[in-house]
Amino acid sequence: MKAFYTKSIFILILLCLAVSSCTDDFEEINTNPNQPEKISNPGLLLPGIIRSVADRTYNGAWNRGNIVADYGADQFVSAFDWSPADAQGYFLWDHYSRLRDVIGMYDLAVEKDLKNYQGIGLVIKAFLFQAMTDIYGDIPYSEAIKAKTGNINFPKYDTQEEIYNGILADLTEANNLLSTSNEAVSGDILFNGDVMKWKKFANSLTLRCLLRISDRKDPSAQMAQIVSNPALYPIFTGFEEQAALQYLNQLGNEFPRYRGNGFGESASQTMVDILKDLNDTRLFVFAQPTFASAGGANPEYVGVPNGISDESTFNGGTEHQSLPGLLWAPTNASPDFASPTAVQTLLMTYGELQLILAEAAERGFISGDPEAYYRAGIQSQFDYYASRIPANYTFPKATNVQPDAAYFTQDAVAYTGTKEEKLNKIWLQKWIALYNCGFEGWSEWRRTNVPTITPGPNSLGFVPVRMLYPLSEQNTNRENYDAAVAVQGPDNTQTHVWWDAN
């Protein structure tokens, strides 16, 4: 019996030693060397960030921005005011999830002293915050994305003026960081690692932001600083350099609507009629002939009024209405002509930049020839869309998109008239140029009131000027939500944001 107990104790001791050894090696054994716990290269994060930002920007443009800016026809009020459905207010609030990745990439770049990645992170951060504040107005900014680093789970809302100050500061820092170090940039699916193009994007975006707030703050000094020193503050010099994501043929890398379920809306009457009145060949890009007239000797383009209760009955039915252009066709709507690569997501274009400079020069913010900027901004649009037409299209061909000389000499386009008339021409051309470019067309309409947008007879009688905060903010961040509403005004679609002085 004594021998039995001695043997049992010995076995128990061996088991304890074995368990102890296993425990000591547990972390090493259960660590996958092929899946590191911490990403060490910010280039691994960059492709997913860019794709997510672009896809959301594109979908936002199609599903909301095109409608509320009156490029596409639908119930544009309901697109922004499906209260209390949280999904609507949340539509671009989820940029905060993208900002978490952006800030994570930026912090990693700071840790590794990678200045180009820091600059890229700041440009994307500025782009996202500008998109959100223009839609909602006052939003969490200075305390946002600090749940982990600052233990802030309920961030305060900053005023739009404070947010724009922060955006402009970030873009200035981005310009100062980019191209000051030698590290190559990998994972850049937007500019293919060309750091100078990121620098141009930073300064071009700065000019957009400065003009956006120009009715509240004089932008002259900062605008002139950029325009007068292209060596230090380079900007886009052609549409080939603009911030446009090129999609690929591979499954999952096509433009987001390629495998979608039809167009979902018609071309708007406002857009179609304006382009027809101007004899503007972008009509062939932005809209299709009616089904009833397609293929005939005299194809007709008929847009649908925005905000009518039953679009299907307008002008004799859908056979006599124009859909959006073929470039945006999903496969099930046009299997012969749908392209996975012809359309790009446009974050900011050279055409927009030139029209920004035209207005800035006309208003005396910068020196330069406003007509030259104006003409360049318009022509670059025709050049860009001509370059995007696939070779297999029967119509339009690239040659159909280019205007004749008479386009620029007609009264409605020629750079003549009073200062007010010239500005109205710039604003109209900019609205056209911003087709399907996020919510920028809507923001410019709010800022300029050009073109005239008339709510349909069965709408609520107004065009929204901001989007509702998501319902989740009222439920989880109520104190800060209430404080923001007290400063900005009621949380509805008729409260103007700070820069919208109309």
Side-chain angles (χ1 to χ4, degrees):
M1 181 67 69
K2 181 177 179 181
F4 173 78
Y5 282 118
T6 301
K7 184 178 180 180
S8 298
I9 292 170
F10 178 71
I11 292 172
L12 183 61
I13 291 171
L14 287 177
L15 287 172
C16 289
L17 290 172
V19 170
S20 175
S21 177
C22 288
T23 303
D24 290 342
D25 296 338
F26 182 83
E27 184 174 349
E28 179 179 347
I29 292 171
N30 286 277
T31 299
N32 183 351
N34 297 316
Q35 188 175 359
E37 294 182 1
K38 184 177 181 181
I39 294 176
S40 59
N41 179 5
L44 298 175
L45 296 170
L46 190 54
I49 289 171
I50 293 173
R51 182 58 185 261
S52 178
V53 169
D55 283 0
R56 197 54 160 170
T57 299
Y58 183 94
N59 286 323
W62 194 269
N63 296 322
R64 299 291 181 269
N66 271 9
I67 305 304
V68 77
D70 211 1
Y71 300 123
D74 204 340
Q75 289 287 352
F76 58 75
V77 173
S78 65
F80 271 50
D81 193 21
W82 288 0
S83 180
D86 195 39
Q88 296 313 301
Y90 190 73
F91 195 76
L92 282 190
W93 200 263
D94 67 347
H95 271 339
Y96 281 114
S97 64
R98 293 165 187 84
L99 282 160
R100 291 186 188 93
D101 293 334
V102 174
I103 299 302
M105 184 189 76
Y106 173 81
D107 289 343
L108 179 59
V110 171
E111 178 185 330
K112 301 290 184 180
D113 194 29
L114 301 174
K115 291 182 172 55
N116 286 334
Y117 283 106
Q118 292 175 48
I120 291 170
L122 290 172
V123 174
I124 299 174
K125 176 189 172 189
F127 177 85
L128 291 175
F129 270 117
Q130 185 239 325
M132 286 198 297
T133 189
D134 282 358
I135 289 171
Y136 299 103
D138 298 353
I139 57 173
Y141 178 74
S142 60
E143 293 185 354
I145 323 298
K146 291 188 177 180
K148 289 184 178 180
T149 59
N151 197 31
I152 300 175
N153 294 302
F154 307 105
K156 71 173 183 177
Y157 287 57
D158 296 271
T159 67
Q160 190 169 63
E161 181 177 9
E162 292 168 335
I163 295 164
Y164 259 92
N165 288 340
I167 289 170
L168 291 168
D170 280 346
L171 290 171
T172 297
E173 185 178 356
N175 177 71
N176 294 337
L177 286 166
L178 289 162
S179 73
T180 61
S181 60
N182 295 322
E183 87 265 9
V185 172
S186 62
D188 178 11
I189 61 174
L190 183 62
F191 291 126
N192 197 30
D194 190 332
V195 176
M196 184 54 65
K197 287 183 180 177
W198 280 102
K199 199 177 184 81
K200 291 179 178 182
F201 186 19
N203 293 310
S204 300
L205 187 57
T206 299
L207 291 170
R208 172 199 280 180
C209 292
L210 288 169
L211 189 62
R212 182 64 45 77
I213 64 175
S214 60
D215 288 337
R216 293 293 188 185
K217 301 180 74 171
D218 183 359
S220 301
Q222 289 173 279
M223 279 190 150
Q225 182 183 48
I226 293 172
V227 174
S228 65
N229 194 345
L232 188 59
Y233 301 101
I235 56 179
F236 297 143
T237 58
F239 74 80
E240 300 85 356
E241 295 183 337
Q242 63 195 20
L245 180 63
Q246 176 61 54
Y247 293 101
L248 306 176
N249 281 303
Q250 292 88 347
L251 181 66
N253 290 303
E254 311 101 331
F255 89 92
R257 290 182 59 86
Y258 177 65
R259 299 185 185 277
N261 297 314
F263 285 96
E265 65 279 318
S266 303
S268 84
Q269 187 178 68
T270 300
M271 183 190 72
V272 169
D273 287 355
I274 286 173
L275 294 178
K276 287 167 68 175
D277 288 345
L278 295 175
N279 297 308
D280 194 309
T281 50
R282 283 172 289 189
L283 174 65
F284 310 140
V285 180
F286 296 164
Q288 298 179 54
T290 64
F291 287 115
S293 68
N298 297 298
E300 296 181 350
Y301 292 82
V302 179
V304 177
N306 217 326
I308 61 175
S309 59
D310 188 359
E311 296 175 19
S312 65
T313 63
F314 177 75
N315 198 44
T318 56
E319 290 289 313
H320 303 279
Q321 301 170 7
S322 289
L323 289 173
L326 272 181
L327 283 178
W328 292 270
T331 51
N332 69 334
S334 184
D336 294 332
F337 298 114
S339 168
T341 60
V343 167
Q344 299 175 318
T345 286
L346 303 176
L347 303 182
M348 186 174 184
T349 69
Y350 172 71
E352 178 194 350
L353 172 64
Q354 290 299 294
L355 293 166
I356 287 170
L357 295 174
E359 179 179 344
E362 183 61 44
R363 293 176 64 183
F365 298 150
I366 61 172
S367 59
D369 182 356
E371 182 177 6
Y373 289 131
Y374 173 74
R375 288 284 296 262
I378 299 172
Q379 185 60 55
S380 72
Q381 273 273 299
F382 291 109
D383 295 341
Y384 170 71
Y385 281 110
S387 76
R388 305 310 303 176
I389 303 297
N392 69 317
Y393 275 21
T394 55
F395 187 87
K397 295 287 189 182
T399 53
N400 302 126
V401 179
Q402 290 289 1
D404 57 28
Y407 178 83
F408 292 96
T409 60
Q410 61 183 307
D411 289 342
V413 177
Y415 201 73
T416 56
T418 65
K419 181 175 183 177
E420 181 180 359
E421 289 170 336
K422 290 176 180 177
L423 286 173
N424 274 274
K425 291 176 181 179
I426 294 170
W427 293 336
L428 180 61
Q429 288 292 337
K430 193 174 182 185
W431 177 81
I432 298 172
L434 287 169
Y435 178 81
N436 209 57
C437 192
F439 289 92
E440 287 300 308
W442 174 58
S443 291
E444 280 299 290
W445 171 80
R446 288 182 288 163
R447 186 178 71 87
T448 66
N449 287 324
V450 174
T452 299
I453 297 179
T454 304
N458 297 301
S459 70
L460 296 180
F462 64 90
V463 181
V465 293
R466 67 174 290 274
M467 183 180 276
L468 303 174
Y469 293 125
L471 190 61
S472 58
E473 282 296 288
Q474 299 180 48
N475 295 333
T476 62
N477 194 18
R478 186 71 195 214
E479 182 178 348
N480 289 311
Y481 166 87
D482 287 342
V485 170
V487 171
Q488 178 168 262
D491 183 16
N492 60 43
T493 57
Q494 298 179 72
T495 294
H496 293 260
V497 300
W498 167 74
W499 53 252
D500 180 6
N502 293 304

